[in-house]
Amino acid sequence: MTQQFNDSPLTLAGQTFHSRLLVGTGKYKDMQETGEAIAASGAEIVTFAVRRTNLGQDAEGPNLLDVVPPSRYTLLPNTAGCYTAKDAVRTCRLARELLDGHKLVKLEVLGDETTLYPNVMETLKAAETLLADGFDVMVYTSDDPIVARELEAMGCCAIMPLGSLIGSGHGIQNPHNLRLIVEQSRVPVLVDAGIGTASDAAMAMEMGCDGVLLNSAIAHAREPLRMARAMQLAVQAGRDAFLSGRMPRRQSAEPSSPFAGRING
Amino acid sequence: MQIQLNGEPHAVDSATTAADLVETLGLTGRRIAVEINEQIVPRSQLAETRLCDGDQVEIVHAIGGG
């Protein structure tokens, strides 16, 4: 029988979660695959985008919220595609109306279409407005520890630095900066963007991150459902490795088998 | 009269309410949010919100995203 180990839940704006893997709903083949992959990931928090309705067509088509129902998941609207604080704030207000007063949002204000790198100046402006308007703001940002500290001081409920560019699958490109952010932060730190495969997610968790948010790594895998499970296991493995405290690194070898009693001794 | 609906010109009768527009589009009961001239119109106020000529109306929903 497997021993159960204690871990504190992930707490975001007063809500607790047992899964530390957050997943997006973009880029899947169809709604069915979206729903199945999200279920296979074990995620409890699921991000989505807010867009204009297609008028005059597929009004009866499947709706995202049918496959990821708000009754089962905590939905996290994002502001993907926003390049100004103003658009991001508008999008959050629309999302709040869409979800009947829901306050938890993922703020991302992007700099340009080539890098989708966060525009930190606009992000700070949007965060200020949203926090004043009562939103709980999880914020996508660069891996700059000074910016992360400022966003936390403003009252953001989670700091979400990029591992590498959105959708790039390049993993965690600056672990040193990420470590600085993890060490200084009193709110949860989640790696958001850049995760390409299970070891990237495990690495984030081993470094002490509180969670991982990813989308493309599952949706663009050849077998999304299997990768969803891989990510669930990787986040758990990385979390346990972090909590268990890894062995010290040594410069030289140290045998695992005893010296005493060797037949050539 | 003419409004801008999701960025496109759209003709509606005068005295049309936001709720009428939503119904005409077949979106009644769907999970949507409505904004007029950059102000949210709460679901509870759609029926009493009259559209005006030149209004910029946005109707949004949830789609896949990361």
Side-chain angles (χ1 to χ4, degrees), chain B residues 30-47:
Chain B
R30 309 283 294 182
R31 208 177 257 277
I32 54 165
V34 179
E35 186 194 62
I36 299 179
N37 302 328
E38 302 191 7
Q39 295 295 316
I40 300 290
V41 183
R43 222 180 302 279
S44 59
Q45 290 173 27
L46 290 174

Side-chain angles (χ1 to χ4, degrees), chain A residues 78-95 107-110 119-130 133 135, chain B residues 35-40 56 58:
Chain A
N78 69 29
T79 61
C82 292
Y83 291 84
T84 63
K86 183 186 164 197
D87 284 351
V89 169
R90 270 178 78 189
T91 300
C92 288
R93 288 176 175 154
L94 283 163
L107 171 63
E108 55 180 301
V109 189
L110 305 173
N119 180 326
V120 165
M121 290 76 74
E122 291 295 307
T123 301
L124 288 162
K125 265 195 265 179
E128 189 172 22
T129 306
L130 291 170
D133 199 6
F135 283 95
Chain B
E35 186 194 62
I36 299 179
N37 302 328
E38 302 191 7
Q39 295 295 316
I40 300 290
Q56 308 234 357
E58 297 286 346

Side-chain angles (χ1 to χ4, degrees), chain A residues 163-177:
Chain A
S164 51
L165 300 183
I166 291 175
S168 72
H170 280 152
I172 297 169
Q173 284 297 303
N174 196 340
H176 309 289
N177 272 28

Side-chain angles (χ1 to χ4, degrees), chain A:
Chain A
M1 177 151 171
T2 312
Q3 186 179 346
Q4 294 298 307
F5 296 101
N6 293 332
D7 188 4
S8 50
L10 172 65
T11 304
L12 293 165
Q15 278 183 277
T16 56
F17 302 93
H18 295 288
S19 171
R20 291 173 179 273
L21 173 62
L22 288 69
V23 294
T25 51
K27 303 179 177 176
Y28 286 98
K29 186 178 66 184
D30 53 34
M31 287 294 175
Q32 185 184 343
E33 188 184 70
T34 308
E36 289 175 359
I38 276 105
S41 77
E44 295 167 273
I45 303 176
V46 176
T47 61
F48 72 91
V50 176
R51 290 291 180 273
R52 287 170 166 166
T53 48
N54 296 322
L55 300 171
Q57 47 179 316
D58 71 5
E60 298 303 316
N63 186 299
L64 178 69
L65 300 183
D66 296 333
V67 293
V68 284
S71 54
R72 176 168 171 193
Y73 297 102
T74 293
L75 291 172
L76 182 63
N78 69 29
T79 61
C82 292
Y83 291 84
T84 63
K86 183 186 164 197
D87 284 351
V89 169
R90 270 178 78 189
T91 300
C92 288
R93 288 176 175 154
L94 283 163
R96 181 167 60 184
E97 169 63 16
L98 196 59
L99 296 178
D100 304 316
H102 175 95
K103 292 193 302 181
L104 187 66
V105 293
K106 171 184 160 181
L107 171 63
E108 55 180 301
V109 189
L110 305 173
D112 69 38
E113 290 178 13
T114 307
T115 65
L116 300 179
Y117 208 78
N119 180 326
V120 165
M121 290 76 74
E122 291 295 307
T123 301
L124 288 162
K125 265 195 265 179
E128 189 172 22
T129 306
L130 291 170
L131 290 162
D133 199 6
F135 283 95
D136 295 319
V137 179
M138 301 174 69
V139 59
Y140 171 65
T141 184
S142 62
D143 57 13
D144 179 334
I146 307 305
V147 172
R149 185 184 299 157
E150 183 65 27
L151 288 164
E152 178 178 346
M154 289 169 73
C156 292
C157 70
I159 306 298
M160 304 205 291
L162 50 74
S164 51
L165 300 183
I166 291 175
S168 72
H170 280 152
I172 297 169
Q173 284 297 303
N174 196 340
H176 309 289
N177 272 28
L178 186 57
R179 188 164 282 118
L180 290 172
I181 294 172
V182 167
E183 284 171 0
Q184 75 181 16
S185 299
R186 294 201 188 92
V187 295
V189 176
L190 295 89
V191 169
D192 177 3
I195 299 294
T197 188
S199 54
D200 297 333
M203 177 180 171
M205 299 308 293
E206 285 177 13
M207 290 173 60
C209 289
D210 298 280
V212 170
L213 199 167
L214 56 87
N215 187 154
S216 307
I218 296 177
H220 280 178
R222 201 180 58 239
E223 284 189 51
L225 270 60
R226 189 184 289 254
M227 185 59 92
R229 185 179 68 150
M231 289 300 182
Q232 178 180 22
L233 296 172
V235 167
Q236 286 172 0
R239 177 68 178 170
D240 271 339
F242 168 70
L243 291 175
S244 54
R246 59 154 296 147
M247 64 165 282
R249 288 181 171 84
R250 299 171 57 92
Q251 290 303 317
S252 56
E254 185 189 62
S256 299
S257 309
F259 267 99
R262 287 170 300 148
I263 57 167
N264 57 350

